[in-house]
Amino acid sequence: MFSIAGLLILSGCRQDMHNQPKYVPYRSSEFFQDGLSERQQLVNTVARGELHEDAYLYTGKVGTKEGGRFPFLITQAVMERGRERYDIYCSPCHSRVGDGNGMIVKRGYRQAANFHDQKYATQAVGHYYDVISHGSGAMPDYAAQIEPADRWAIAAYIRALQYARSGTMSDVPADQRGQLKDQSEITTKEGVPLQRAIASGGKGSPEGVPTEVSPTSPHSPSRHEPQEGTQKK
């Protein structure tokens, strides 16, 4: 009786789901003329979102030469975006002001490029786009982290840092020169005395800035930091 029941059960077990009529990767095929089971892409096939008609936008080069222009208008919004992305991805090595002395460098990492050196100040903007895309020396590429438009925004912000250090009044559009202020005319930044804001790296809030510090004086320990001769618990 049990034998008959076992035969009935086994006869109901089919292998159709296990032995499907399909091709596994790289298996040959007699159906297609080229003998390959995997079909090749049609000529000139472009993946969705990968058309990249504007070659300069996606390479920063004209032929093999790094370009000296931006592929779109640099607005205030672009500059703000560039600063945000720069502070996130670039400042740890290059510092907030672009002098190559970021926190990672201060802690032992290889010296980063100083954007204010003549070698880098004269580089075309396409150079910065290319380096972000492909890396250079000890710097890895950031192609996966930073999209093309943001790479250009960062390049624009780097150029702004360079102008801020070495620019002249002639670099400022005539209709905007009246908006500029001398450092002596600026007393506070978001409620913080200017010199304290500069010394703090631009934190811009009373809570984040030491009460007594200047750009040239050594850092004074706060009440949250251990004094010399005391043990931090």
Side-chain angles (χ1 to χ4, degrees):
M1 190 69 177
F2 288 106
S3 299
I4 296 173
L7 289 173
L8 291 174
I9 293 173
L10 290 175
S11 64
C13 294
R14 302 176 58 182
Q15 296 297 306
D16 291 354
M17 293 298 292
H18 296 279
N19 301 323
Q20 297 180 32
K22 65 179 181 181
Y23 288 112
V24 297
Y26 303 110
R27 177 171 291 178
S28 62
S29 170
E30 296 180 357
F31 181 81
F32 297 106
Q33 189 174 4
D34 59 8
L36 300 175
S37 62
E38 293 185 332
R39 309 317 305 140
Q40 305 301 305
Q41 290 184 349
L42 298 177
V43 178
N44 298 323
T45 297
V46 178
R48 185 188 296 265
E50 298 294 327
L51 184 57
H52 296 176
E53 286 185 297
D54 187 345
Y56 185 70
L57 172 65
Y58 292 97
T59 64
K61 295 182 178 181
V62 178
T64 59
K65 184 179 180 181
E66 294 169 341
R69 63 177 178 83
F70 290 97
F72 48 77
L73 182 65
I74 302 301
T75 63
Q76 183 64 31
V78 172
M79 292 298 296
E80 291 174 357
R81 177 68 175 180
R83 178 179 182 176
E84 179 195 47
R85 298 292 94 181
Y86 176 92
D87 287 349
I88 293 172
Y89 294 108
C90 310
S91 68
C93 290
H94 295 280
S95 88
R96 291 287 183 93
V97 296
D99 62 5
N101 292 311
M103 190 55 65
I104 301 300
V105 174
K106 291 179 178 179
R107 295 180 178 178
Y109 195 69
R110 183 175 175 178
Q111 181 66 46
N114 180 351
F115 296 134
H116 306 291
D117 285 348
Q118 188 67 16
K119 173 183 176 181
Y120 298 103
T122 57
Q123 292 282 7
V125 291
H127 169 78
Y128 298 109
Y129 180 94
D130 184 65
V131 171
I132 295 172
S133 302
H134 302 105
S136 178
M139 174 182 162
D141 72 86
Y142 283 80
Q145 296 90 338
I146 307 174
E147 63 181 29
D150 284 344
R151 297 173 213 170
W152 284 112
I154 290 174
Y157 184 66
I158 291 174
R159 189 62 91 214
L161 290 176
Q162 293 167 334
Y163 281 142
R165 176 73 66 90
S166 60
T168 63
M169 186 60 73
S170 62
D171 295 319
V172 182
D175 61 338
Q176 297 181 23
R177 293 174 187 174
Q179 301 176 27
L180 298 180
K181 292 183 179 181
D182 185 84
Q183 181 171 311
S184 61
E185 301 178 72
I186 306 174
T187 57
T188 63
K189 179 182 184 297
E190 298 182 13
V192 179
L194 179 64
Q195 294 303 318
R196 288 171 55 199
I198 294 174
S200 72
K203 293 180 181 178
S205 64
E207 296 79 7
V209 185
T211 55
E212 297 296 334
V213 66
S214 69
T216 57
S217 64
H219 170 64
S220 300
S222 68
R223 62 187 178 87
H224 300 293
E225 297 178 351
Q227 305 292 323
E228 184 176 357
T230 63
Q231 184 176 4
K232 185 177 180 180
K233 297 182 181 180

